[in-house]
Amino acid sequence: AQSVTQLDSQVPVFEEAPVELRCNYSSSVSVYLFWYVQYPNQGLQLLLKYLSGSTLVKSINGFEAEFNKSQTSFHLRKPSVHISDTAEYFCAVSGAGGSYIPTFGRGTSLIVHP
Amino acid sequence: EPEVTQTPSHQVTQMGQEVILRCVPISNHLYFYWYRQILGQKVEFLVSFYNNEISEKSEIFDDQFSVERPDGSNFTLKIRSTKLEDSAMYFCASRKDRGRETQYFGPGTRLLVL
């Protein structure tokens, strides 16, 4: 079984500032890692994922996350946020292989102020 | 780009009533899922469905819940006798095939039980 811890329930930040949303996981098997974003009144959208290979993965809108196996982390970063990045961000982990059912963290609310 | 759709977007019901939440997965996907998110809490797995049968279910998915794929396109979640604690956002998701790890989520149905 896997578990995910998102250490921050809320992260306020000013526009154009950098941000890091933290995610740690635990698992007894190899994992796949995901970040999902939920904009207000919308569903979950896949932001980026780590399956294998390069430990640094990037999204099309400037976010990136790095898989750190020794620290069991998959923190999400963006060097300069926009107002439109205001959303709930969920880290998720699934076992590599098998049913691919992700276990979600509690989410981090990113609030970008002008 | 194909997407998962869900209806209705919002539903209000009285305690004890039956509700059916509907989902149309992406057309060439073979694996289907239901999740729920109680307000302010994490997204929780309910059930997965493949080849016209349940493949996995969580302890949340008790006898009050059932799923069905009544035709080639719809995937439904039925709650037979709703309780106050069933109030949540319910997400449907689908995945293409065995070798694909990414689930695609619908926008959700917000269920309120009074």
Side-chain angles (χ1 to χ4, degrees):
Chain A
Q2 295 85 35
S3 68
V4 176
T5 302
Q6 291 183 248
L7 296 169
D8 306 299
S9 60
Q10 206 172 76
V11 173
V13 65
F14 287 106
E15 196 173 18
E16 298 184 6
V19 70
E20 178 181 82
L21 306 184
R22 295 179 292 171
C23 173
N24 289 89
Y25 71 92
S26 67
S27 176
S28 57
V29 299
S30 297
V31 296
Y32 294 148
L33 292 155
F34 307 84
W35 275 100
Y36 284 87
V37 58
Q38 184 181 27
Y39 296 105
N41 301 313
Q42 295 187 30
L44 297 167
Q45 300 175 31
L46 181 66
L47 186 61
L48 47 73
K49 61 187 177 185
Y50 168 79
L51 306 177
S52 64
S54 172
T55 57
L56 183 65
V57 291
K58 299 183 179 185
S59 72
I60 58 173
N61 58 352
F63 283 94
E64 63 180 37
E66 185 157 21
F67 169 53
N68 188 318
K69 189 174 181 180
S70 63
Q71 296 187 7
T72 60
S73 67
F74 191 56
H75 301 330
L76 182 69
R77 301 184 182 92
K78 188 171 185 180
S80 175
V81 295
H82 303 289
I83 295 286
S84 59
D85 293 324
T86 295
E88 192 83 12
Y89 291 80
F90 293 92
C91 182
V93 62
S94 72
S99 62
Y100 301 117
I101 294 171
T103 298
F104 288 86
R106 290 189 173 274
T108 296
S109 179
L110 175 63
I111 303 168
V112 181
H113 297 287
Chain B
E1 186 175 333
E3 56 186 22
V4 177
T5 60
Q6 291 184 242
T7 55
S9 58
H10 294 78
Q11 181 151 3
V12 181
T13 190
Q14 294 291 324
M15 189 170 57
Q17 295 296 304
E18 174 184 285
V19 296
I20 298 176
L21 310 182
R22 292 183 168 77
C23 168
V24 178
I26 296 172
S27 64
N28 61 351
H29 285 195
L30 301 178
Y31 295 80
F32 313 114
Y33 307 84
W34 283 102
Y35 294 80
R36 79 173 185 191
Q37 183 186 24
I38 295 172
L39 187 64
Q41 298 187 26
K42 62 174 68 176
V43 177
E44 301 172 292
F45 167 72
L46 292 177
V47 66
S48 61
F49 192 85
Y50 170 73
N51 201 25
N52 285 320
E53 61 182 23
I54 291 173
S55 46
E56 270 188 74
K57 60 182 181 179
S58 72
E59 57 190 27
I60 302 169
F61 193 87
D62 61 22
D63 291 343
Q64 292 297 315
F65 292 90
S66 63
V67 290
E68 191 179 32
R69 189 157 163 81
D71 53 44
S73 60
N74 289 283
F75 179 50
T76 62
L77 174 69
K78 181 192 291 186
I79 308 175
R80 290 191 182 81
S81 178
T82 50
K83 303 185 285 286
L84 296 176
E85 53 265 37
D86 293 327
S87 295
M89 179 75 93
Y90 288 83
F91 292 107
C92 173
S94 69
R95 177 165 70 87
K96 188 170 185 179
D97 56 33
R98 183 176 296 277
R100 308 297 178 97
E101 69 299 317
T102 302
Q103 296 185 20
Y104 294 86
F105 285 78
T109 294
R110 185 170 295 284
L111 175 65
L112 178 60
V113 182
L114 301 176

